[in-house]
Every structure is written in structure tokens, then in C-alpha cells.
């Protein structure tokens, strides 16, 4: 309950100084979108210089070009006018620390939170579990640079994505805060 009260208090403080933000336009003012990871160490507002109303930020585990992420990007463009997209993965991503079979087996044993140790994730739960995790493609990452390339290519080749939208590929370094271009991804995502 402590986290709940902290969040609600933070919201009360925020609402007190909300000012004119209620009149921000629906389309993003800077007309771009970022697809990035949900990792708590990443703050797109900070690393990309955003303020409220500037851009769409789409987040999921790994910042992967899942069907739902592409759905959001297409809505961002088609209905809300974004003209450029960024795919930004990061170093030391948790999606590198397991495979589809690892998470499927962990979930089959127990739905409780697993523990990450030097040898990977270990299930410390007592059950029950579910076999359903074995039927999900978790979009894990073998190589963070290659995953950026793959995701930019997947987005670029999607039949609902217009050829005139440039898609840039970057890797965020969690140790330095720098964005590192993945040239092969940016080349693959070039507007045509």
C-alpha cells in the first residue's frame, strides 16, 4: 500500500501545477514516435529531450516490433501525423537473459516471481504454474544490435507502413546515457 499512496500523492502534487497542459493537442507536436523498452532505467523524456505533448512513446519488454507496437506506430502516423520513427533498444536488457523455453518452463512451474542469479533465472515459487507460457513468442534478444536491425526491418517491410517514413535504429547505453546509432538499422529504415 505504501507505493499506492506515494503514487496518489505524487499525482495530487502534479495536478496542482498542471496549468495549461489540459489544452495540449492530441497529435504530438514534434511529429515523431519512439519504440523503446519498458526498462525502468530508460527515461525517453530525458534521453530524447521530450516534454509532454512532444512525441509518442511506445514501450514494451525489449522495445520489440511486436504486432501491437506496429499497430501503435501505424495509428501514430495514420491518425496523428507522426513523420519519423525511432526504434531504441538498450544495453544490458533483461530480454537477453532468457529464452522462450526458459520462461515457458518457469511459468509452467510457478506463476511467482523468479530470481535472476549468475546462472540465469531460477524459479523459487511453489506453484501452481501454467503451460500457456510455452505458446507465447516472447521476442527475446540474442544480440541487442541485431535485434534493432530486425525490428527496423520488420517495421519497414510491414504492408501498413508507408515507405516515406524514416525509421532510425539506436541502442541506448545504460552506463553512459548515450544513444548509439545502429547504422545497418538506419539504412534499412531509410525513407524511400
Amino acid at each position: 500500500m505504501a507505493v499506492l499512496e506515494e503514487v496518489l500523492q505524487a499525482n495530487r502534487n502534479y495536478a496542482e501545477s498542471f496549468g495549461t497542459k489540459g489544452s495540449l493537442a492530441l497529435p504530438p507536436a514534434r511529429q515523431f514516435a519512439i519504440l523503446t523498452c519498458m526498462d525502468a532505467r530508460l527515461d525517453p523524456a530525458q534521453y530524447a529531450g521530450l516534454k509532454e505533448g512532444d512525441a509518442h512513446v511506445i514501450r514494451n519488454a525489449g522495445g520489440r516490433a511486436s504486432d501491437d507496437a506496429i499497430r501503435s506506430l501505424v495509428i501514430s502516423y495514420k491518425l496523428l501525423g507522426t513523420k519519423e520513427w525511432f526504434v531504441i533498444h538498450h544495453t544490458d536488457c533483461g530480454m537477453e537473459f532468457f529464452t522462450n523455453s526458459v520462461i515457458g518452463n518457469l511459468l509452467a512451474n510457478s506463476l511467482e516471481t523468479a530470481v535472476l542469479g549468475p546462472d540465469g533465472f531460477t524459479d523459487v515459487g511453489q506453484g501452481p504454474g501454467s503451460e500457456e507460457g510455452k505458446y507465447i513468442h516472447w521476442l527475446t534478444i540474442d544480440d541487442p544490435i541485431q535485434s534493432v536491425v530486425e525490428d527496423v526491418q520488420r517495421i519497414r517491410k510491414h504492408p501498413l507502413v508507408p515507405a516515406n517514413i524514416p525509421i532510425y535504429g539506436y541502442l541506448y547505453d545504460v552506463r553512459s546515457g548515450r544513444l548509439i546509432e545502429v547504422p545497418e538499422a538506419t539504412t534499412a529504415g531509410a525513407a524511400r
Side-chain angles (χ1 to χ4, degrees):
M1 292 299 269
V3 172
L4 172 61
E5 188 48 43
E6 290 172 3
V7 168
L8 294 177
Q9 183 58 52
N11 180 253
R12 287 189 287 272
N13 296 343
Y14 177 73
E16 287 176 9
S17 62
F18 197 66
T20 61
K21 292 176 188 168
S23 62
L24 286 171
L26 182 60
R30 292 176 57 196
Q31 299 181 313
F32 74 94
I34 296 172
L35 170 60
T36 196
C37 186
M38 67 185 197
D39 190 303
R41 297 171 293 177
L42 279 63
D43 185 347
Q46 294 296 315
Y47 72 61
L50 303 177
K51 62 183 188 305
E52 288 158 307
D54 275 353
H56 288 149
V57 178
I58 301 151
R59 298 182 79 158
N60 65 33
R64 301 307 310 264
S66 64
D67 288 344
D68 193 58
I70 293 172
R71 175 189 71 92
S72 295
L73 288 167
V74 169
I75 290 168
S76 177
Y77 156 76
K78 182 67 176 175
L79 301 179
L80 298 165
T82 58
K83 296 180 175 15
E84 299 175 75
W85 296 343
F86 289 78
V87 172
I88 302 174
H89 294 192
H90 65 95
T91 59
D92 195 32
C93 183
M95 297 298 285
E96 297 175 52
F97 301 140
F98 65 95
T99 63
N100 283 335
S101 62
V102 166
I103 192 167
N105 290 332
L106 287 169
L107 289 165
N109 290 330
S110 166
L111 298 182
E112 295 178 39
T113 302
V115 174
L116 179 58
D119 297 323
F121 284 97
T122 304
D123 192 358
V124 295
Q126 300 301 313
S130 173
E131 296 287 326
E132 288 301 311
K134 294 181 179 181
Y135 302 105
I136 294 175
H137 181 49
W138 295 97
L139 300 173
T140 60
I141 294 174
D142 291 331
D143 175 333
I145 291 173
Q146 188 57 38
S147 70
V148 173
V149 174
E150 290 168 2
D151 283 354
V152 168
Q153 289 173 336
R154 180 160 195 258
I155 295 166
R156 170 54 62 220
K157 292 176 184 175
H158 198 283
L160 297 177
V161 173
N164 65 331
I165 293 180
I167 308 164
Y168 311 111
Y170 282 83
L171 193 66
Y172 173 82
D173 185 335
V174 298
R175 305 279 181 246
S176 70
R178 294 194 184 280
L179 290 175
I180 303 161
E181 184 178 16
V182 178
E184 184 181 349
T186 298
T187 298
R192 295 176 174 89

